[in-house]
Amino acid sequence: MNMNCRRRFLLLSVALNGIISVCCIIFIIMNVGCKKNENLPDCRCEAIHDLSSQVSVAEQMEEVISFLNQTTKENLVQHHPNFPMKFVMDMRNNKRCNLMPSLFNIRWQNIYWQEAKLSEDTVFFLYSAIYDNRTFTDMRPCVRVLGVSSSTSLPDAYCHFWFNITGPPVPSKVIKTEYIDYQWMDKSRDMTYMLTCRIPSGANSMKPVAVSLVHTPCQIASNLLHVTGAGKRESSAISSNITPQYQKWNEHVYTAAVCGPALYYYHQDFSIRMVEWLESLRAQGISQVFLYETDIHPNLQKVLRYYEKDRFIQVTKYSYPPPYINEPSIRRLWTLVERKKMWAQENVYFTDCLLRHMHQYRFIAHYDPDELPVLLQHRSYTDMLNEILRKSYIKNARQPIGYKLQWNMFYYDVEPPASTRGLPEFLYMLRHILRTKTDLLPTSAGMYKAVYDMDYTTGVSSHVVITCNSGPCPSDLQEVSPDVAYLAHYTLGTCGEKCKNQDYMREEPAILKNVDVVKAAVKNVLETIGIL
């Protein structure tokens, strides 16, 4: 990945960030904005026999896939996280509402995407739907539908909320459409949107099982998404059983999770580096890591399956939407050539990851596998986070929407110092502890990554918050002093001759805080899965 190119692009983007934000707000207000949810007709439907009743789908779903040791149903539930397979398979007497698409009438696209035709010239590809009932949500409870379109202005649309198979859907108008990107709108690429529908008052005490997106209410749908999420935050968000009380920060200690990227290491065996990264995060007190998987190297598959069983990671399957190809070799070239299109797609899975897991954790960071927090004053990430939270609570009446750690570069062409050369070769990050003496300036988006407060955050890109759950974001990301913590970026970029000057470089001993724990854990995992 050419990080210098990306950094220059982000510098320009952030320089225009204020203008873009204003333009996005104007776009939302002028085009769709927050619209009053009008009175809608009660949908009526007929319970019809599903065509699949000619074949016993239920029996076929119990067929075992021998090499996976899973039933067909188990495999589909695992690998189609955004499709309500259990809901669909719960048909009584093989009947369903005729407004609901059958499994075979859904307009599937590129495996994980579904199509909604909103007008003659506007197609919206849906990826996921998330239930949002957070305290600070301005239209709670609601469902947020995440997807892409090449249109710069989406027409009116409606959600069909499904609470059972045979009954009619509850219609609700899309009352907010948000453009999730820091780049200018461009019809030549798929653009990420988040559509929000409020659950009508008559049904707002229940969470819908599924949702469809249609152009007119009570229309026969061509898509059906499982609604993920929960009505309240789970106990995993705090390190004790004390219920969070927002007025008294000192009654609980928050845990943190990490959202990683959509992995496309197909030609590169990144398995050993991945194990070291995961074990380093675990040693720092990160509770869980969430990753997205496309086509990856077989050894990396072994790593992911190991950590899934260990429950330290959760993997969501991902593909790129039409018209982009998902053949791994061509896609790799696409990621190198079509950078703006790839960056626009990142907004889908970064945003999806935060929303999908916001009920599990209040604080979720976005870090890539070549980035590692360096904690200078704290033993664990949780200690650092809660100390920063306490100080910001004292200083500010309103909490920031997250905290950003600035990058500092650890270059690919800089050899390990004598002090770490004795460490095993499988510890790349722990061996390479030389960095530049001067801190990078954290003023641009390309120079930091954030941990987000999920009390507020809804839409993000790789580096910045785009939207919040109460409309305009109530605050900005707060900088963490580089004397407290920063983010080591193990870039593929080269430093050249200047890094050979000893006065230009220094060692970072803080990276070695957990060296013995990480070394033993990495060795054990690599031996267990047969890579070492």
Side-chain angles (χ1 to χ4, degrees):
M1 181 180 289
N2 189 336
M3 295 307 301
N4 290 329
C5 174
R6 182 169 188 170
R7 204 182 319 152
R8 287 195 296 271
F9 183 86
L10 286 169
L11 283 169
L12 178 61
S13 297
V14 174
L16 298 171
N17 189 54
I19 299 174
I20 293 174
S21 299
V22 172
C23 290
C24 288
I25 293 171
I26 294 173
F27 164 78
I28 291 170
I29 294 173
M30 293 183 64
N31 287 276
V32 285
C34 292
K35 301 178 181 178
K36 185 176 181 180
N37 210 348
E38 60 196 31
N39 291 325
L40 297 174
D42 291 332
C43 293
R44 298 179 181 276
C45 70
E46 178 185 356
I48 61 172
H49 281 279
D50 195 81
L51 291 176
S52 61
S53 62
Q54 299 172 13
V55 176
S56 178
V57 174
E59 290 182 7
Q60 293 298 319
M61 286 294 170
E62 295 305 318
E63 284 286 321
V64 175
I65 305 173
S66 58
F67 68 94
L68 295 175
N69 195 29
Q70 285 181 320
T71 65
T72 303
K73 180 180 178 181
E74 289 171 339
N75 185 255
L76 285 172
V77 169
Q78 178 180 344
H79 293 289
H80 271 269
N82 301 322
F83 182 70
M85 180 59 66
K86 292 180 180 179
F87 181 62
V88 170
M89 293 307 300
D90 191 35
M91 291 184 192
R92 290 172 174 80
N93 301 317
N94 286 315
K95 287 186 177 182
R96 62 176 169 84
C97 172
N98 67 315
L99 300 183
M100 177 186 291
S102 74
L103 177 61
F104 311 108
N105 288 338
I106 291 172
R107 293 178 182 170
W108 295 101
Q109 298 288 348
N110 287 9
I111 305 178
Y112 304 112
W113 296 80
Q114 301 179 35
E115 177 185 324
K117 192 170 180 63
L118 302 182
S119 70
E120 286 300 318
D121 56 357
T122 303
V123 174
F124 188 80
F125 296 111
L126 298 77
Y127 178 69
S128 62
I130 302 97
Y131 179 73
D132 191 348
N133 192 37
R134 289 175 289 178
T135 301
F136 302 114
T137 299
D138 57 1
M139 54 190 68
R140 65 191 292 243
C142 63
V143 170
R144 304 187 188 276
V145 177
L146 197 61
V148 301
S149 176
S150 60
S151 174
T152 57
S153 179
L154 299 182
D156 286 345
Y158 298 81
C159 291
H160 277 180
F161 293 127
W162 300 97
F163 295 91
N164 61 72
I165 290 288
T166 55
V170 176
S172 178
K173 192 169 186 177
V174 173
I175 55 176
K176 182 185 284 187
T177 297
E178 295 169 292
Y179 173 60
I180 310 296
D181 204 336
Y182 58 86
Q183 304 178 95
W184 294 106
M185 286 186 165
D186 186 346
K187 290 184 177 181
S188 69
R189 65 172 180 261
D190 279 343
M191 294 171 286
T192 303
Y193 290 96
M194 185 164 56
L195 312 183
T196 301
C197 293
R198 181 187 282 115
I199 299 174
S201 57
N204 62 9
S205 62
M206 301 179 292
K207 173 192 167 187
V209 181
V211 63
S212 299
L213 188 69
V214 294
H215 178 46
T216 59
C218 305
Q219 175 186 0
I220 297 175
S222 63
N223 52 80
L224 188 67
L225 288 177
H226 172 55
V227 177
T228 63
K232 61 181 181 179
R233 187 162 282 140
E234 297 177 0
S235 60
S236 53
I238 52 178
S239 61
S240 70
N241 294 322
I242 302 174
T243 302
Q245 301 294 325
Y246 297 105
Q247 295 79 15
K248 298 180 180 180
W249 56 264
N250 59 338
E251 288 190 3
H252 52 267
V253 174
Y254 284 107
T255 58
V258 167
C259 277
L263 303 172
Y264 53 88
Y265 297 102
Y266 184 75
H267 300 76
Q268 176 188 6
D269 184 358
F270 199 76
S271 57
I272 295 177
R273 288 282 302 274
M274 180 63 71
V275 173
E276 183 190 11
W277 182 64
L278 290 173
E279 292 299 342
S280 295
L281 291 178
R282 186 178 351 221
Q284 289 185 354
I286 295 295
S287 295
Q288 203 167 11
V289 177
F290 305 111
L291 298 168
Y292 287 69
E293 179 183 350
T294 61
D295 298 280
I296 57 175
H297 191 281
N299 282 345
L300 188 52
Q301 288 184 11
K302 292 181 181 179
V303 171
L304 297 188
R305 302 296 83 81
Y306 173 89
Y307 282 103
E308 279 183 313
K309 291 181 179 178
D310 186 49
R311 298 195 175 184
F312 182 58
I313 73 169
Q314 184 173 324
V315 178
T316 301
K317 291 288 188 176
Y318 190 78
S319 64
Y320 289 84
Y324 306 135
I325 191 170
N326 283 282
E327 198 287 321
S329 294
I330 298 178
R331 183 177 57 213
R332 174 176 173 270
L333 296 175
W334 177 80
T335 63
L336 297 172
V337 175
E338 298 280 9
R339 305 296 285 173
K340 292 183 180 180
K341 293 180 180 178
M342 186 198 75
W343 294 338
Q345 290 308 301
E346 289 181 340
N347 304 325
V348 177
Y349 50 79
F350 291 153
T351 297
D352 178 78
C353 186
L354 293 178
L355 294 179
R356 186 182 296 267
H357 303 291
M358 64 184 174
H359 63 287
Q360 296 172 266
Y361 297 94
R362 179 180 169 185
F363 290 98
I364 306 178
H366 164 55
Y367 301 140
D368 290 326
D370 59 358
E371 297 167 336
L372 186 67
V374 178
L375 310 178
L376 301 175
Q377 297 184 14
H378 302 87
R379 188 67 185 178
S380 74
Y381 196 96
T382 297
D383 290 344
M384 177 205 70
L385 176 63
N386 284 276
E387 176 67 12
I388 294 171
L389 186 64
R390 182 183 69 83
K391 289 181 178 179
S392 66
Y393 185 92
I394 293 172
K395 291 180 181 179
N396 302 289
R398 178 172 282 174
Q399 290 293 310
I401 57 176
Y403 304 90
K404 54 188 179 183
L405 272 64
Q406 71 179 61
W407 264 357
N408 277 308
M409 296 298 186
F410 289 69
Y411 289 98
Y412 183 76
D413 62 339
V414 175
E415 292 295 319
S419 60
T420 60
R421 286 176 196 164
L423 291 174
E425 292 285 340
F426 56 71
L427 297 177
Y428 180 89
M429 291 178 171
L430 298 188
R431 281 166 52 85
H432 291 76
I433 62 170
L434 281 174
R435 51 152 291 192
T436 57
K437 286 185 177 179
T438 304
D439 288 331
L440 293 174
L441 295 176
T443 52
S444 79
M447 299 297 183
Y448 65 79
K449 287 290 188 69
V451 53
Y452 301 101
D453 187 339
M454 295 312 300
D455 275 355
Y456 308 106
T457 306
T458 54
V460 299
S461 68
S462 181
H463 297 267
V464 296
V465 176
I466 307 293
T467 59
C468 290
N469 59 354
S470 57
C473 292
S475 60
D476 198 0
L477 294 168
Q478 179 175 302
E479 292 182 9
V480 176
S481 169
D483 294 329
V484 174
Y486 65 87
L487 200 61
H489 181 206
Y490 291 84
T491 176
L492 290 177
T494 57
C495 186
E497 290 297 319
K498 61 183 179 182
C499 282
K500 294 181 181 179
N501 184 346
Q502 293 183 353
D503 294 332
Y504 189 73
M505 306 291 287
R506 69 175 177 85
E507 293 185 20
E508 182 53 85
I511 296 176
L512 299 174
K513 280 184 179 179
N514 303 305
V515 59
D516 292 334
V517 172
V518 174
K519 180 173 68 173
V522 173
K523 184 174 184 292
N524 175 66
V525 173
L526 294 178
E527 288 178 344
T528 300
I529 62 180
I531 292 180
L532 189 63

